[in-house]
Amino acid sequence: MNKLVSILIPCYNEEASLPKLYEEVNKLMDSETSYNWELLFVNDGSQDRTIDIIKELYAKDSRISYIDLSRNFGKENAMLAGFDHVKGDCMVIMDADLQDPPSLIPEMLKYWEEGYDDVYAKRNSRGKESWLRRQFSLLFYNILDHSTRYEVLRNVGDFRLLDRKCIDALKQLRESERYTKGLFCWIGYRKKEIIFDRGNRVAGQSNWGYHALFNLAIEGITGFTTAPLRFATFIGLIIAIWALGYMGWIIAKVLIWGDPVQGYPTIMTVMLFLGAMQLIAIGILGEYIARIFNEAKNRPTYLINEYKGKQAS
């Protein structure tokens, strides 16, 4: 019996790219006849005709399944909905904009058949991306690399093949504040890297602006390391030692040389510096408390408006 390969595609306002995406993926599925296929779309509360196009594709192709979420829960939670519902012996995650080429999937399947559990695609180039955005990305990975106890893969997105054991492991991780790229590394298992040149979007515009990427970076850092808290503690100790030394120096000057204590400028400089450091430390602490607050509510990570599973062949 042929193995079942699921392709998971989270979608948010992708009406322009879906027809071309289906055309490319359909060619792949028709050519790889040694496998059975499931194509699972997750509509993450799109505001355009994305769900209508998905339903049209579902009506004409029995290999297609879809999940329509009740609202926009974000890509991370949309992927979790996909993890919960894919039926395949393995799963390929890819974006709907065709920046992740379906032509790479056969190579992923080859390594999966050789025994690898997580075959991930590493970007040799990042397509049309600004210099500033690229530098921020590298800075983020540098911070994670130096603050976590396991390797965080650079220039690696969600485009990968996962064995069923990896899918089942990810389904157990139910935190609401998710950073799935880190979870892929956290679960471990046998990994294999494939290098590829990431293309440009075939249609539409990216939904990932600087604000969204900044929020994702904060989720990644606070979700996988307590280094910011330790950094705040370390800075506090350094300032405390410096303050004690400076106080001793002022007292010595007064007792030995009779120098008057410097007035307003010195006091204001020290107060502003210490106040700023306290606010930074409180802000870092607040990020972790916010995560505790969100997790303590124990709300479902997503809600489904409609689910249509793979039709019988």
Side-chain angles (χ1 to χ4, degrees):
M1 184 174 180
N2 293 345
K3 295 179 180 178
L4 177 62
V5 178
S6 297
I7 301 178
L8 169 62
I9 304 178
C11 302
Y12 179 68
N13 293 343
E14 296 288 357
E15 65 175 357
S17 61
L18 280 177
K20 180 64 175 176
L21 168 71
Y22 174 72
E23 179 184 337
E24 294 296 320
V25 175
N26 187 49
K27 290 178 183 177
L28 168 72
M29 295 190 296
D30 287 344
S31 64
E32 295 289 334
T33 56
S34 57
Y35 295 99
N36 294 326
W37 294 91
E38 175 193 29
L39 182 57
L40 175 60
F41 293 98
V42 181
N43 178 47
D44 187 24
S46 298
Q47 302 300 310
D48 59 5
R49 294 190 64 253
T50 293
I51 186 58
D52 296 326
I53 295 174
I54 291 173
K55 288 181 178 180
E56 291 171 6
L57 295 174
Y58 170 81
K60 71 178 186 180
D61 193 331
S62 63
R63 298 168 297 188
I64 290 179
S65 304
Y66 71 85
I67 300 170
D68 183 26
L69 299 183
S70 64
R71 64 168 176 84
N72 178 246
F73 286 90
K75 183 183 178 182
E76 305 293 311
N77 291 336
M79 284 194 291
L80 178 61
F83 300 162
D84 287 341
H85 290 84
V86 290
K87 301 180 176 70
D89 299 295
C90 70
M91 168 186 67
V92 176
I93 309 169
M94 60 182 296
D95 292 337
D97 53 18
L98 279 179
Q99 287 185 286
D100 303 330
S103 58
L104 206 62
I105 293 177
E107 185 177 358
M108 291 179 169
L109 289 169
K110 177 175 74 75
Y111 286 118
W112 175 57
E113 295 286 6
E114 292 178 4
Y116 290 98
D117 304 310
D118 181 354
V119 184
Y120 61 87
K122 182 175 181 179
R123 302 161 185 154
N124 185 42
S125 65
R126 299 177 65 93
K128 291 181 180 179
E129 186 176 60
S130 67
W131 177 88
L132 182 62
R133 181 164 171 165
R134 188 177 296 112
Q135 295 307 309
F136 278 140
S137 177
L138 292 175
L139 175 62
F140 167 68
Y141 284 118
N142 282 330
I143 292 173
L144 276 186
D145 274 346
H146 290 88
S147 58
T148 58
R149 291 176 292 177
Y150 51 89
E151 181 183 8
V152 177
L153 302 172
R154 293 170 179 256
N155 290 324
V156 176
D158 299 316
F159 186 31
R160 63 183 66 220
L161 181 149
L162 296 170
D163 183 76
R164 170 50 64 178
K165 68 177 69 170
C166 296
I167 301 170
D168 292 338
L170 289 165
K171 287 167 62 176
Q172 297 179 54
L173 309 178
R174 309 303 297 188
E175 59 254 45
S176 59
E177 305 294 327
R178 304 180 67 80
Y179 179 65
T180 312
K181 295 177 183 64
L183 296 178
F184 292 144
C185 300
W186 186 87
I187 62 173
Y189 296 108
R190 193 180 181 200
K191 300 184 184 298
K192 176 65 179 180
E193 174 185 288
I194 296 177
I195 304 295
F196 81 112
D197 291 317
R198 195 164 199 242
N200 300 313
R201 291 183 63 92
V202 295
Q205 294 182 345
S206 173
N207 298 304
W208 289 92
Y210 284 106
H211 182 262
L213 290 172
F214 178 77
N215 287 336
L216 183 63
I218 294 297
E219 293 295 338
I221 292 171
T222 55
F224 284 89
T225 176
T226 57
L229 293 173
R230 294 176 182 174
F231 176 76
T233 302
F234 177 75
I235 292 297
L237 289 172
I238 294 297
I239 293 175
I241 293 171
W242 172 83
L244 288 172
Y246 184 71
M247 181 179 65
W249 167 245
I250 293 297
I251 293 174
K253 283 177 63 179
V254 173
L255 293 178
I256 299 173
W257 294 289
D259 288 346
V261 177
Q262 295 295 322
Y264 183 78
T266 302
I267 293 174
M268 285 303 299
T269 300
V270 172
M271 287 180 61
L272 289 173
F273 176 72
L274 293 177
M277 294 307 303
Q278 288 174 342
L279 288 174
I280 291 172
I282 292 172
I284 292 172
L285 186 61
E287 288 291 338
Y288 284 90
I289 293 175
R291 292 184 65 88
I292 297 172
F293 171 71
N294 288 330
E295 297 295 339
K297 289 185 288 189
N298 199 30
R299 292 176 180 172
T301 52
Y302 62 87
L303 294 173
I304 294 177
N305 178 50
E306 183 181 15
Y307 168 62
K308 294 290 186 180
K310 182 176 177 291
Q311 301 178 45
S313 301

